[in-house]
């Protein structure tokens, strides 16, 4: 009869502490997996129209996984960098080409009286010779007083000639409102909701993206006495006053807190000051002007500036360097300007027509990624809404 062999290990009973350590580790891993899964699910179920990839990337960055996201973006960018050479989709220039058939500055046929806000003079494009319609403004929002919002397109530079940068000129007579995002800066204590409500549709004429997340800048967000972050001297600032007019300036120098200030949105340092472009637009781009996808210089960028007559100009487009953005804003007449948000997921400008007095139809300026109705539902990041006077 054979005896069953028993190892010395099996004959020895494991210490109780080994059992409890293993059980604790397994339990901790299970709790971590459940908690992480729940956190991700909560992020994916957040309201608004941020895409799944955007929500996952933002969740990862907020949970110390930024290097993983950056690595993925680097790979994606290297596989598909901005194209060089070529020609753009000229359909966006068609309206401008048609406009050149009329005398410069001629009032649109829909005006019933001589407008006090004429069509703006064309922008001299960065690339020569200009394409038909390039740099020629087209009115997209009209009222009896004239063309309140005018849009044009130019190629950003002589290398990335298959791209178009959109430029929106906005009359100083328009009324601007800063809306918070439900995540950044949050709606607590704010005077505005995280979307354009239907009650505001009758006078809504445009919306556009704001700046970086507040945690990524040295600056603040101000709304009627409530501040998130810190309003910082020297920071580029979009300032909106209680009468609705807006300007762009350097905080503590040409703009500061007064009883008439309603909103302030700061973002980085000034891009243009007193008509002069910042001297370091090509230096330390990521450290000074924001981390971009793949660390690339030429990506989606946006910016806003004020002209000598107080009108605002907004520019946005793909394959733009900081210098390109500054150049286009300067060509559009900006004497002071700031960069707003960057990268494909965050840049957007829409104007609105009104099929009926109480409804709106949004229209994209350019082929940006986000849905055209982005700001008509709960929005995770702050934005600016523009209303007719």
């Amino acid at each position: 009869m054979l005896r069953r062999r028993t190892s010395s290990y099996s004959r020895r009973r494991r210490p109780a502490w080994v059992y409890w350590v293993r059980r604790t580790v397994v339990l901790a891993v299970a709790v971590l997996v459940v908690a992480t899964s729940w956190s991700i699910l909560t992020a994916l179920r957040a309201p608004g129209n941020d895409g799944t990839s955007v929500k996952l990337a933002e969740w990862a960055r907020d949970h110390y996984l930024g290097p993983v996201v950056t690595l993925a973006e680097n790979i994606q960018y290297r596989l598909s960098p901005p194209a060089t050479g070529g020609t753009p989709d000229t359909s966006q220039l068609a309206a401008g080409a048609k406009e050149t058939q009329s005398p410069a500055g001629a009032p649109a046929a829909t005006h019933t009286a001589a407008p006090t806000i004429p069509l703006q003079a064309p922008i001299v494009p960065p690339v020569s010779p200009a394409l038909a319609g390039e740099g020629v403004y087209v009115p997209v929002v009209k009222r009896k007083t004239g063309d309140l919002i005018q849009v044009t397109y130019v190629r950003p530079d002589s290398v990335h000639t298959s791209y178009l940068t959109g430029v929106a000129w906005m009359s100083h007579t328009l009324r601007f409102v800063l809306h918070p995002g439900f995540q950044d800066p949050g709606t607590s204590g704010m005077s505005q909701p995280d979307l354009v409500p239907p009650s505001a549709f009758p006078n809504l004429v445009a919306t556009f993206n704001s700046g970086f997340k507040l945690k990524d800048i040295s600056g603040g967000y101000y709304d009627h006495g409530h501040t998130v972050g810190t309003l910082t001297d020297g920071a580029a600032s979009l300032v909106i006053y209680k009468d609705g007019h807006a300007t762009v300036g350097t905080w503590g120098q040409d703009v500061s807190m007064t009883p008439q200030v309603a909103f302030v949105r700061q973002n980085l340092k000034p891009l243009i000051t007193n008509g002069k472009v910042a001297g370091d637009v090509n230096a330390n781009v990521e450290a000074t002007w924001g981390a971009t996808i793949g660390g690339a210089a030429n990506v989606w960028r946006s910016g806003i500036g004020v002209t000598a007559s107080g009108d605002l100009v907004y520019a946005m487009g793909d394959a733009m360097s900081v210098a390109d953005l500054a150049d286009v804003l300067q060509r559009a007449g900006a004497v002071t300007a700031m960069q707003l948000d960057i990268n494909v997921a965050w840049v957007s400008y829409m104007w609105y027509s009104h099929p009926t007095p109480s409804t709106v139809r949004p229209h994209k300026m350019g082929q940006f990624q986000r849905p055209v109705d982005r700001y008509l539902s709960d929005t995770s990041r702050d934005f600016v809404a523009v209303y007719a006077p």
Side-chain angles (χ1 to χ4, degrees):
M1 183 175 177
L2 296 176
R3 285 190 172 182
R4 183 179 176 183
R5 298 185 63 185
T6 304
S7 69
S8 60
Y9 176 80
S10 63
R11 289 197 301 266
R12 293 195 304 267
R13 188 172 180 176
R14 294 186 181 91
W17 68 267
V18 174
Y19 169 79
W20 286 108
V21 167
R22 290 179 61 184
R23 186 169 183 174
T24 301
V25 170
V26 170
L27 181 61
V29 170
V31 169
L32 180 62
V33 169
V34 171
T36 300
S37 300
W38 180 255
S39 178
I40 292 175
L41 181 61
T42 300
L44 292 177
R45 294 178 63 182
N49 48 42
D50 292 352
T52 299
S53 61
V54 172
K55 290 179 178 179
L56 286 174
E58 291 299 291
W59 179 91
R61 288 192 174 97
D62 291 339
H63 290 79
Y64 310 104
L65 295 174
V68 176
V69 177
T70 300
L71 176 62
E73 291 176 342
N74 283 339
I75 294 172
Q76 182 181 17
Y77 186 87
R78 290 177 182 178
L79 291 174
S80 182
T84 58
T87 56
D89 177 3
T90 56
S91 64
Q92 292 179 286
L93 301 175
K98 184 177 180 181
E99 198 72 41
T100 59
Q101 297 173 9
S102 303
T110 54
H111 294 320
T112 57
T116 57
I117 304 173
L119 195 63
Q120 298 300 297
I123 294 175
V124 177
V127 184
S128 182
L131 300 172
E134 187 176 11
V136 178
Y137 279 110
V138 174
V140 295
V141 174
K142 304 179 182 181
R143 293 294 187 271
K144 290 182 179 180
T145 54
D147 303 320
L148 297 180
I149 298 182
Q150 304 171 27
V151 168
T152 188
Y153 299 91
V154 295
R155 290 167 291 174
D157 56 42
S158 59
V159 176
H160 303 91
T161 53
S162 63
Y163 298 89
L164 288 174
T165 294
V167 179
W169 175 93
M170 295 173 283
S171 168
H172 66 275
T173 63
L174 292 165
R175 184 167 55 89
F176 296 80
V177 175
L178 182 63
H179 287 260
F182 63 81
Q183 289 181 344
D184 198 67
T187 56
S188 177
M190 301 298 182
S191 68
Q192 301 297 319
D194 60 0
L195 78 169
V196 178
S199 60
F201 285 0
N203 291 316
L204 179 67
V205 292
T207 50
F208 57 87
N209 62 279
S210 184
F212 291 12
K213 277 189 169 183
L214 293 176
K215 69 180 183 63
D216 295 328
I217 63 169
S218 296
Y221 180 111
Y222 175 86
D223 179 349
H224 292 85
H226 179 69
T227 306
V228 179
T230 303
L231 295 180
T232 304
D233 285 347
S237 305
L238 172 64
V239 181
I240 303 174
Y241 296 88
K242 291 179 179 178
D243 64 1
H245 87 275
T247 191
V248 177
T250 303
W251 194 255
Q253 297 180 27
D254 47 351
V255 289
S256 58
M257 185 56 64
T258 71
Q260 289 72 44
V261 172
F263 305 96
V264 180
R265 182 47 156 102
Q266 297 187 323
N267 199 60
L268 307 177
K269 58 181 287 186
L271 188 59
I272 299 175
T273 305
N274 296 324
K276 296 182 179 180
V277 175
D280 57 352
V281 288
N282 290 316
N284 301 317
V285 172
E286 285 197 86
T288 306
W289 304 105
T292 56
I293 291 175
N298 295 86
V299 295
W300 277 93
R301 295 186 187 274
S302 63
I304 192 166
V306 63
T307 69
S309 34
D311 304 309
L312 293 186
V313 285
Y314 171 101
M316 55 151 276
D318 193 5
M320 296 189 78
S321 68
V322 183
D324 291 339
L325 178 63
D327 180 49
V328 170
L329 286 169
Q330 189 177 52
R331 289 170 183 270
V335 293
T336 306
M338 61 189 288
Q339 182 176 260
L340 294 176
D341 221 336
I342 60 176
N343 293 330
V344 64
W346 304 113
V347 175
S348 53
Y349 185 101
M350 311 83 162
W351 73 86
Y352 297 83
S353 57
H354 295 77
T356 70
S358 60
T359 61
V360 293
R361 178 180 294 137
H363 306 267
K364 285 187 174 186
M365 182 176 75
Q367 303 303 313
F368 54 85
Q369 182 188 73
R370 300 306 293 271
V372 70
D373 59 351
R374 173 183 179 184
Y375 300 122
L376 304 184
S377 60
D378 295 307
T379 305
S380 63
R381 303 272 287 271
D382 56 299
F383 68 96
V384 178
V386 188
Y387 298 91

